[in-house]
Amino acid sequence: MTNQPVATERTWVGPSAPERLNILHNTRSVAIVGMSDKLARASYFVSTYLLSSSPYRVYFINPILAEKGKKVLGQEVYASLEDLPEAPDVVDVFRRHDDLPGVAEEAVRVGAKTLWLQLGSWNEEAAAVAEKGGLNVVMDRCIKIEHARFHGGLHLAGFNTGVISSKRQRTA
């Protein structure tokens, strides 16, 4: 038996593409909750992109790394959202399914504007908590991919080959 959440019907409807673009356009700071110092983790990859290809102030949240005084990508790691020097506009979450409602509650408490759950993360309880607290919610989408899609940067991850075709490309 695994600890995977039981699949339920999705009833929550997220923001449209223009609404997501508006969220990103109005964002000045992003907190990455569940930041890892491991290069192969999605949080590390997304953070690298945001630091190099976006105008956002990016903050890292990981209580274990913060306790050890570790820096990631040359930046301080904070133990919680409450420790940040400002309320983040977007709280981008890389945490287990069961942790998401608690992160949503903390995001509301600190005055964040948007709760963003990464690809594969869908938690309607967390969405309800965030929306009740006045936050925008985006679920099951990657902020890196969305930012790159809206700002012409998909090539940075190898997605934009410059070829539009339904046929498989030949390799030499």
Side-chain angles (χ1 to χ4, degrees), residues 9-161:
E9 183 180 340
R10 292 183 173 192
T11 59
W12 180 84
V13 177
S16 65
E19 290 167 328
R20 291 190 309 276
L21 174 60
N22 189 51
I23 289 169
L24 293 174
H25 178 75
N26 291 311
T27 293
R28 300 294 173 257
S29 60
V30 176
I32 307 291
V33 175
M35 180 61 188
S36 176
D37 59 351
K38 294 175 177 56
L39 278 65
R41 294 289 175 102
S43 61
Y44 194 96
F45 183 73
V46 167
S47 296
T48 301
Y49 169 84
L50 291 177
L51 288 170
S52 68
S53 301
S54 80
Y56 309 144
R57 291 181 301 281
V58 181
Y59 300 103
F60 302 147
I61 311 298
N62 182 315
I64 295 168
L65 296 178
E67 184 179 312
K68 294 178 182 178
K70 282 196 146 192
K71 288 191 172 198
V72 178
L73 296 169
Q75 296 200 177
E76 181 177 353
V77 179
Y78 297 88
S80 72
L81 292 171
E82 293 164 345
D83 295 333
L84 296 178
E86 66 178 308
D89 292 322
V90 172
V91 175
D92 188 18
V93 187
F94 295 84
R95 295 289 306 271
R96 296 177 326 133
H97 181 268
D98 294 343
D99 296 337
L100 300 176
V103 175
E105 290 169 1
E106 188 179 8
V108 169
R109 257 192 330 272
V110 301
K113 295 178 183 169
T114 300
L115 178 70
W116 193 297
L117 305 183
Q118 277 297 310
L119 282 174
S121 290
W122 187 277
N123 188 307
E124 296 200 16
E125 179 185 352
V129 166
E131 288 177 334
K132 184 178 179 185
L135 277 66
N136 296 309
V137 177
V138 178
M139 292 196 289
D140 197 19
R141 292 197 177 269
C142 175
I143 195 169
K144 180 258 177 271
I145 292 172
E146 292 294 289
H147 183 275
R149 180 166 79 104
F150 292 132
H151 297 89
L154 283 179
H155 66 283
L156 296 175
F159 297 119
N160 183 0
T161 63

